[in-house]
Amino acid sequence: MSPPGRRAVLKALAATAAVLSAGQLPAVAPRATAAEAGSAAWAVQTLEAFADTLIPGQRRFAGDLAVAGAVSGPGAVQAGVIATLTSPELPLAPLLPELAALLNARAVVYATSHLVLLPITVPAFVGLSFRHRTALVQGLFGPEDPDRAIWQVLSLLTGLAFDTAAHLDTRQAVSTGHPGLTWLGFPRPGTDGLWRFTDYSYGRALATPHPATTDSGSPA
């Protein structure tokens, strides 16, 4: 990827991560037309395979190629990583095909150097076995990789989809059994929809609240 292209992708990824961490992502996932879905199918499969390599899960159906089925239980794909990445409120969606193309190009190079025969009916990265996907992704995070920062931020977004249900309101995610939050044992809110924790994380209070602290816990 050229330096200008790399900068544009990193800028979009950083902005996406900032929006997600601020909790500003709407709860409604985008809907694509059949034509749009068809043209983006390879990009979606590629990004699903990348996310599944980072946080693997079980296959969603027989013949699921993007998800390698390396483990049992839910992974990033089941937790909604694509809904997170493709939100129309984020600047990342238009760049996803370019990211997928870059990842597939790296997969072709990897396959060539390791004498791996790739199928022509699926994206190159999807055509790799889970073992080879893992080896390739490990290399992408190496300090010498020119696109390392891109993969680092993309992996952060993958983690946010699983660990925080970033594309959903937290109450909605818990009530509907979001796979990631359920797997992690995320607690349910009280009857009023708020979370309160009676036990201190360290088993004791580390400090007393400032007398000017508001009811919401914010400083005055």
Side-chain angles (χ1 to χ4, degrees), residues 187-202:
R188 300 183 68 85
T191 56
D192 58 358
L194 299 178
W195 276 268
R196 295 180 178 85
F197 303 93
T198 56
D199 297 325
Y200 296 107
S201 298
Y202 290 90

Side-chain angles (χ1 to χ4, degrees), residues 170-186:
T170 303
R171 284 185 290 269
Q172 177 191 359
V174 172
S175 64
T176 57
H178 177 268
L181 298 186
T182 301
W183 185 262
L184 295 171
F186 194 85

Side-chain angles (χ1 to χ4, degrees), residues 71-95:
V71 301
S72 60
V77 174
Q78 293 88 344
V81 65
I82 297 302
T84 297
L85 296 177
T86 58
S87 170
E89 298 299 318
L90 300 179
L92 182 60
L95 297 174

